[in-house]
Amino acid sequence: PKERSNDTDAMWVGGKIYFRSDRAGEFNLYSFDPSSKTVAQLTKHADFPILNASSGGGRIVYEQAGWLHLFDPSTSASKRLSIGVAADLVDTRPRFVKGADYVRSADVSPSGSRVALAFRGEIVTVPAEKGDPRNLTATPGANERYPAWSPDGKTIAWISDESGENKLVLAPQDGRGERRVVALEGAGFYFDPKWSPDGKKISYRDNSHSLFVLDVASGASKRVAQDALYDVVAEIEHNWSSDSHWLAYTVQNTTGFHRVEIYDVEGGASHAITDGLSDASEPVFDAGGKYLYLAASTDAGPFLTWFSQASADIEQRNSLYLICLAKDTPSPLAKESDE
């Protein structure tokens, strides 16, 4: 064609030829009138192309954006179809399940007396010794994930899509009282909420490989960092200092390596701890706040090329490191001398 386009799926319907074409950019439905020699664009889908089309009974059915659409040439109108398949499938029937295989994440209460579990889309707490399990959600039609126990032991936070969008839920741990639902800033899918030790902040990450800090009182979120590359797995790891003033985290640079940084909550600035020449992970503050522990690998380069089969038999080795956070803090690993 003179438009340098791809024209396909030609169909005779009512004296005209209907076909798919990308002459306007995205594949849409067109018609050709043999009598007037004119071509007309009939649909204007701009987000996703029409993948295939077929005629029958004087109408045309086509697929677009994962849906079936029915086009009526007599009215030049297109309607998206809702297709339902009724089947008596055993796997889709409501049923009870049990077992540790359905536990997806967990968090122990500060006292250690109970543990909160994300159990097959429900948030359940179970006792360490005496008492009964407690289902805090009982929402079979929703997916609740990542329970996080507040430092005072009174509240459990988790991510829920019960409203249709993923949001943060703050609920009393005993299942009584009102719940608070917080709309989070980010890419719409959230992971791994962690309370600051003072209970005033919650750090979390989203589907864009970004790390956020939420102010619990106001519900406002601030983005702390974002990976330079959108890798297969979001690997931002984050942990709070005991005084809640600092948040240690990993962030990916353009080489694919992860660098450890610490975020000053009050000052709003981040400071690099490692230089990015090794693949650092799992930063954790010690209880006293003097040291930062982390793992790092200096031979991770070949291992991180996950898409290449050349990395299939490559192993990454990590070593443990201790970093003194203050200049006047002596290293407990420094060599000793009798002089």
Side-chain angles (χ1 to χ4, degrees):
K2 64 180 181 179
E3 293 85 1
R4 303 293 295 172
S5 60
N6 295 285
D7 299 341
T8 186
D9 290 355
M11 301 161 282
W12 277 107
V13 180
K16 292 183 179 181
I17 298 177
Y18 294 82
F19 60 97
R20 291 189 308 121
S21 177
D22 62 356
R23 61 186 60 204
E26 200 67 89
F27 268 103
N28 272 282
L29 189 65
Y30 289 77
S31 67
F32 171 75
D33 189 343
S35 59
S36 62
K37 310 293 184 182
T38 58
V39 174
Q41 182 176 351
L42 305 176
T43 63
K44 295 183 179 181
H45 298 291
D47 50 355
F48 295 100
I50 292 178
L51 297 183
N52 48 63
S54 178
S55 63
R59 291 181 290 182
I60 297 171
V61 63
Y62 63 86
E63 176 192 353
Q64 191 269 340
W67 296 88
L68 292 180
H69 299 253
L70 192 63
F71 180 82
D72 189 347
S74 63
T75 62
S76 296
S78 180
K79 178 182 179 182
R80 194 175 78 177
L81 302 179
S82 296
I83 306 297
V85 179
D88 189 15
L89 302 177
V90 175
D91 290 341
T92 62
R93 297 177 185 174
R95 66 191 189 278
F96 290 101
V97 298
K98 62 180 180 179
D101 290 343
Y102 294 100
V103 175
R104 296 170 182 170
S105 60
D107 194 32
V108 180
S109 67
S111 66
S113 59
R114 297 184 77 89
V115 60
L117 306 174
F119 184 85
R120 202 170 184 269
E122 304 281 17
I123 303 300
V124 181
T125 68
V126 296
E129 296 180 356
K130 301 177 182 179
D132 297 321
R134 183 181 297 139
N135 191 337
L136 298 181
T137 51
T139 51
N143 186 20
E144 275 87 15
R145 319 181 318 278
Y146 299 108
W149 220 299
S150 65
D152 61 8
K154 297 179 180 180
T155 305
I156 297 178
W158 66 80
I159 306 297
S160 173
D161 65 357
E162 185 177 9
S163 66
E165 295 290 339
N166 283 274
K167 297 180 180 181
L168 182 73
V169 179
L170 304 173
Q173 66 86 19
D174 58 4
R176 304 173 183 177
E178 295 184 359
R179 300 180 178 182
R180 179 185 171 195
V181 179
V182 181
L184 299 176
E185 294 289 335
F189 204 78
Y190 309 105
F191 312 87
D192 200 20
K194 291 185 179 180
W195 292 81
S196 61
D198 62 6
K200 296 181 180 180
K201 308 286 185 182
I202 294 178
S203 57
Y204 65 92
R205 53 188 175 87
D206 73 349
N207 198 39
S208 70
H209 293 207
S210 296
L211 177 65
F212 293 82
V213 170
L214 167 77
D215 182 81
V216 176
S218 66
S221 296
K222 181 178 181 179
R223 186 164 71 177
V224 174
Q226 185 178 26
D227 284 345
L229 303 174
Y230 193 90
D231 210 340
V232 179
V233 180
E235 297 177 336
I236 294 181
E237 300 162 321
H238 50 111
N239 285 293
W240 288 93
S241 63
S242 58
D243 61 4
S244 302
H245 291 169
W246 301 90
L247 178 66
Y249 62 91
T250 59
V251 64
Q252 187 189 59
N253 57 32
T254 54
T255 67
F257 281 2
H258 293 83
R259 183 177 63 250
V260 170
E261 298 185 356
I262 56 174
Y263 174 71
D264 181 358
V265 176
E266 295 181 358
S270 292
H271 307 273
I273 298 297
T274 63
D275 57 10
L277 298 179
S278 61
D279 191 44
S281 60
E282 303 180 68
V284 178
F285 289 96
D286 79 306
K290 293 183 178 181
Y291 312 116
L292 184 71
Y293 299 95
L294 56 90
S297 174
T298 57
D299 61 359
F303 176 83
L304 294 177
T305 58
W306 66 270
F307 194 72
S308 170
Q309 292 185 356
S311 65
D313 59 349
I314 301 297
E315 292 184 354
Q316 174 180 342
R317 295 178 176 87
N318 290 280
S319 299
L320 295 178
Y321 292 84
L322 178 145
I323 296 177
C324 298
L325 296 174
K327 290 183 178 180
D328 57 356
T329 300
S331 171
L333 304 178
K335 292 183 179 180
E336 296 182 356
S337 173
D338 59 354
E339 297 180 339

